[in-house]
Amino acid sequence: MKPTGQWFTIGLVSAWYTSNIGVLLLNKYLLSNYGFKYPIFLTMCHMTACSLLSYVAIVWMKLVPLQTIRSRVQFLKISALSLIFCTSVVSGNVSLRYLPVSFNQAIGSTTPFFTAVFAYLITVKREAWLTYLTLVPVVTGVVIASGGEPSFHLFGFIMCVGATAARALKSVLQGILLSSEGEKLNSMNLLLYMAPVAVVFLLPATLFMEENVVGITIALARNDIKIIWYLLFNSALAYFVNLTNFLVTKHTSALTLQVLGNAKGAVAVVVSILIFRNPVSVTGMLGYSLTVIGVVLYSEAKKRTK
């Protein structure tokens, strides 16, 4: 790799880490520390920003070629994925109201377990026994971390597990529903179509479940204008998570992406503990470490069985 290309890749990975960890920490700050208790509205802000910025990036700036929806069936498939995507993001944001980021990330690391379960249930696709064996430390680690978590909250835990399961389900279904050559979309185009559909799903949910949230936000802004800037910045950051993820995937190998992804969770945990000073136990950290080791072993097992 040329030095210029190397620095470009390092810059991309840094931007990916910063946007990923930044949006996670800002979500936590807004929903828990700041007291903005409206996770559905916050998710709708994210999806609105993703809709607008995706359009600008693809249609105006032409960062990637525009892929069109070719049939009503394809649109319905994208809508179904969007609904699951909404469920995952909203549940994840709800969990951040109750759980520290460190524990949230530990639970999120179990995504491979849920992916393997859904792949088996939906496609009856069996992995090698070694792959399933590596999932034991993944799940055991979270069980240990749960037992040793000083800030454990049952509802937050259920929401976080639900978010992780929904994320895995979307991944499996996406591989099935958009598998034909005519229907395959890259992640940027998929976001372009999923985000507006998500807004349509989230708008009635926000109006019904978070009554007068717009009026409350305006009232908050009169006392503290920073809330508007927090929401705007947070929403833009949510889009850049997707953009940088796409670019890092494009400019690095699959193996590099796996390693970076595994390390990202650990970095987020350390940064969140330093910022929010949430109490951690030795048992909790041992449990999380065991989960991370399990995820690394799972990645290796998957690579060897291909």
Side-chain angles (χ1 to χ4, degrees), residues 72-94:
R72 184 181 293 181
V73 172
Q74 188 186 10
F75 175 72
L76 290 173
K77 289 176 179 179
I78 290 168
S79 299
L81 291 173
S82 183
L83 182 59
I84 298 166
F85 181 53
C86 281
T87 305
S88 173
V89 178
V90 170
S91 299
N93 285 339
V94 169

Side-chain angles (χ1 to χ4, degrees), residues 181-194:
E181 283 304 317
E183 291 185 331
K184 274 184 182 173
L185 297 171
N186 63 44
S187 61
M188 294 303 294
N189 274 275
L190 186 59
L191 184 67
L192 173 68
Y193 296 118
M194 277 203 317

Side-chain angles (χ1 to χ4, degrees), residues 155-232:
F155 179 69
F157 176 77
I158 291 168
M159 285 290 101
C160 197
V161 169
T164 307
R167 189 161 58 242
L169 179 61
K170 176 190 166 283
S171 172
V172 172
L173 286 180
Q174 188 175 322
I176 299 165
L177 296 179
L178 303 178
S179 58
S180 68
E181 283 304 317
E183 291 185 331
K184 274 184 182 173
L185 297 171
N186 63 44
S187 61
M188 294 303 294
N189 274 275
L190 186 59
L191 184 67
L192 173 68
Y193 296 118
M194 277 203 317
V197 176
V199 174
V200 172
F201 286 135
L202 290 166
L203 183 58
T206 303
L207 294 173
F208 179 69
M209 299 175 74
E210 298 177 339
E211 198 176 342
N212 197 31
V213 64
V214 176
I216 292 166
T217 306
I218 292 167
L220 276 171
R222 288 199 185 105
N223 295 323
D224 184 10
I225 193 66
K226 289 203 294 284
I227 184 64
I228 300 299
W229 293 112
Y230 285 147
L231 289 173
L232 287 172

Side-chain angles (χ1 to χ4, degrees), residues 243-292:
L243 176 63
T244 53
N245 187 63
F246 172 78
L247 292 172
V248 168
T249 306
K250 186 179 175 182
H251 290 278
T252 61
S253 68
L255 177 60
T256 306
L257 195 68
Q258 275 182 355
V259 173
L260 291 171
N262 292 336
K264 179 166 59 65
V267 172
V269 167
V270 172
V271 173
S272 72
I273 292 169
L274 290 173
I275 291 174
F276 295 112
R277 307 282 179 182
N278 57 281
V280 289
S281 67
V282 174
T283 308
M285 292 314 292
L286 283 173
Y288 178 62
S289 301
L290 183 61
T291 295
V292 171

